[in-house]
């Protein structure tokens, strides 16, 4: 009995060991909690330092994965259409992402968090009613933890964590840690977005100043529109940028510039205000946004031209009160982020500045035009009071001298000289008429000036300036009806060359004698066999209605020649 009592351990010693073990466990737990809090604080500080939004989003996901010991994590950004506009994954390689295919858009379990933005913790993903499995080549995932990220009381997106390391499940402590990180992430995202908006606003203001300076320095309309499209497309990250201007005296828009994806399908199009995307912006005078321009119900007119494009925005250049001077449309590739309200607001302001600059430039041009007209009046007076009177006096002198000429040949030469003086006086009178023409409407400009305008507009669509030759008294001998038809014919011929010829050179010639002849020649691909000829038939009908003729044929060295001619009434 004595040896047994010596080998036994006293009861107080057993209780002390248990207490020490329990204390050690509590110390380990406290140490683990301390380490986790330190890690959380470090993560909060780390994500708060990022000012670039893309970097901030990735750092938030990486911090979340480390804090809750997850294999995979992702951050989904909710777009204007309440679907995922961005998805930032962590834990999968670029090769795995490529094999999986398209990133999630917000269906199934991920959509559940969008519809109900509260923390969601699952031991097994497949047991949730909204889960419908994973795509092929997707890594296996069992446990799940998701929390919403709020920015200024608005749900910006969600954090998704899956596959707890060690095969366990996410617990309430993981949820609390992730929820705390989500609050810090909301602040970091807000700061990054404010920083990005400030930089974006600075770029739009710089572009506005550049366009204003270009307009006021005397740059041509095409140069300014090219600059407008280039800067807007670059700043907005658009894959297609288009500018359309109103067609005078009509309810239509003409696409003057198109740069980017499917640009050839847009160039030169004439679209109605009703039934087109840009027409909706011109009609309402307000910004118009589409989440998918391929399926936009407002687009019912024009040929198919939206292949490969998705989000789009159209903004009027001007206002209904002061007149819409044009429409700027930007589109991104299918699957790219939508145009958010922050971007759209800056774009609308940019277009407003451009409209104001165009208004100021127009006023400057009006002032220059008044000075030009005054100078024309002076030239016309001088021609009438000096040149014509001297020609008339010379002719009268020669007529009086004929009776003193005995040689028949000499008399004939003097008579021919008198006829030449009469023709010269007639030419000067037509020039004076052209200088003094001031009527309202299309007649305010002679045929020559209208032809020059048509050619300049075509240059914006062709990408180069066509050659132009004019001969004869176009502003005097061509009646208004025939002049209007000639301008319409020239517009159609140049539009066909821009859309179908794929030419690098176009030559335009107008001549007025006994008939008016309009010739348009290009070095393009020539007339396609069996192609649509509705435009050519229209030109032929216009010629036939005026008793003229029309011909379009391929040239031996390549290209096409369009010839339209109608007789002119005798003087």
């Amino acid at each position: 009995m004595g040896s047994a009592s010596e080998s036994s351990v006293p009861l107080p010693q057993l209780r002390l060991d248990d207490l020490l073990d329990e204390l050690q466990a509590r110390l380990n737990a406290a140490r683990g909690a301390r380490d986790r809090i330190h890690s959380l604080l470090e993560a909060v500080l780390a994500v708060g330092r990022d000012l670039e939004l893309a970097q901030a989003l990735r750092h938030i996901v990486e911090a979340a994965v480390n804090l809750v010991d997850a294999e995979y994590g992702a951050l989904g950004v909710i777009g204007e259409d309440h679907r995922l506009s961005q998805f930032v994954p962590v834990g999968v390689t670029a090769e795995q992402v490529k094999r999986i295919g398209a990133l999630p858009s917000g269906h199934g379990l991920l959509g559940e968090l969008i519809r109900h933005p509260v923390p969601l913790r699952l031991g097994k993903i497949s047991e949730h009613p909204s889960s419908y499995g994973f795509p092929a080549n997707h890594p296996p995932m069992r446990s799940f933890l998701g929390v919403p990220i709020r920015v200024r009381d608005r749900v910006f997106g969600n954090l998704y964590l899956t596959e707890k390391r060690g095969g366990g499940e996410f617990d309430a402590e993981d949820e609390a840690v992730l929820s705390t990180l989500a609050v810090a992430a909301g602040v970091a995202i807000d700061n990054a977005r404010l920083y990005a908006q400030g930089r974006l606003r600075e770029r739009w203001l710089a572009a506005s100043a550049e366009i204003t300076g270009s307009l006021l320095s005397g740059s041509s309309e095409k140069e300014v529109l090219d600059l407008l499209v280039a800067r807007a497309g670059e700043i907005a990250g658009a894959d297609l940028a288009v500018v359309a201007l109103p067609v005078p005296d009509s309810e239509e828009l003409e696409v003057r510039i198109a740069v980017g994806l499917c640009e050839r399908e847009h160039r030169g199009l004439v679209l109605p205000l009703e039934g087109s995307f840009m027409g909706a912006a011109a009609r309402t005078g307000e910004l118009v946004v589409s989440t998918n321009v391929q399926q936009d119900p407002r687009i019912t007119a024009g040929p198919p031209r939206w292949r490969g494009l998705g989000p789009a925005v159209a903004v009027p250049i001007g206002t209904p009160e002061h007149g819409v001077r044009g429409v700027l449309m930007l589109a991104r590739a299918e699957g790219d982020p939508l145009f958010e309200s922050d971007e759209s607001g800056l774009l609308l302001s940019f277009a407003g500045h451009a409209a104001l600059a165009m208004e100021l430039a127009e006023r400057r041009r009006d002032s220059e035009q008044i000075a030009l007209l005054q100078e024309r009046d002076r030239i016309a007076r001088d021609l009438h009071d000096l040149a014509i009177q001297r020609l008339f006096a010379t002719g009268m002198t020669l007529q009086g001298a004929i009776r003193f000429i005995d040689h028949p040949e000499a008399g004939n030469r003097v008579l021919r000289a008198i006829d030449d003086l009469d023709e010269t006086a007639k030419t000067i009178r037509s020039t004076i008429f052209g200088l003094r023409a001031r009527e309202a409407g299309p007649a305010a400009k002679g045929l020559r000036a209208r032809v020059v305008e048509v050619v300049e507009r075509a240059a914006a669509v062709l990408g180069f300036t066509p050659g132009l030759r004019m001969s004869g008294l176009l502003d005097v001998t061509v009646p208004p009806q025939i002049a209007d038809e000639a301008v319409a014919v020239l517009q159609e011929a140049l539009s066909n060359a821009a859309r179908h010829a794929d030419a690098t050179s176009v030559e335009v010639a107008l001549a007025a004698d006994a008939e008016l002849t309009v010739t348009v020649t290009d070095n393009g691909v020539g007339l396609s066999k069996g192609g649509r000829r509705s435009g050519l038939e229209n030109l032929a009908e216009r010629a036939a209605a005026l008793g003229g003729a029309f011909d379009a044929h391929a040239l031996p060295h390549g290209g096409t020649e369009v010839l339209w001619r109608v007789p002119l009434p005798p003087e």
Side-chain angles (χ1 to χ4, degrees), residues 363-377:
R363 293 292 176 266
R364 179 179 56 80
R365 287 194 296 269
D366 288 344
S367 177
E368 292 174 352
Q369 184 69 15
I370 290 172
L372 176 62
L373 291 174
Q374 290 173 343
E375 179 64 12
R376 285 184 174 184
D377 281 344

Side-chain angles (χ1 to χ4, degrees), residues 229 238 240-244 266 277-278 293 306 309 312-315 327-331 347:
V229 165
L240 173 68
V242 174
V243 165
H266 290 265
F277 186 60
M278 288 183 290
V293 74
W306 304 107
L309 294 170
V313 60
V315 57
V327 177
L328 169 65
M329 188 204 73
L330 303 173
L347 181 59

